[in-house]
Amino acid sequence: MFGKKSQQSSDLTSPESVKKSQAVYDRIASGECKDAAAELDATHGRGSKKKRG
């Protein structure tokens, strides 16, 4: 479409994505992860929608 960025959607239910998410979850559960949303975004190649300031 005109004037809109194309968005790549990733299948978060694929085996590869589930494995990646599980690794992040394990880090969250163990207390190693400080920002779960940022880690998941980085893991799945997505930008954070929140702007901090």
Side-chain angles (χ1 to χ4, degrees):
M1 298 195 114
F2 297 104
K4 290 187 178 182
K5 289 184 180 179
S6 65
Q7 293 181 346
Q8 288 183 326
S9 63
S10 58
D11 180 10
L12 298 178
T13 62
S14 72
E16 297 85 18
S17 292
V18 171
K19 260 188 192 177
K20 291 177 183 179
S21 295
Q22 185 64 48
V24 174
Y25 176 80
D26 291 341
R27 287 178 39 80
I28 294 166
S30 70
E32 294 175 37
C33 178
K34 299 294 180 197
D35 188 347
E39 289 233 10
L40 286 167
D41 287 340
T43 298
H44 295 292
R46 297 176 170 204
S48 178
K49 293 180 182 173
K50 287 184 182 178
K51 289 191 177 185
R52 296 180 183 174

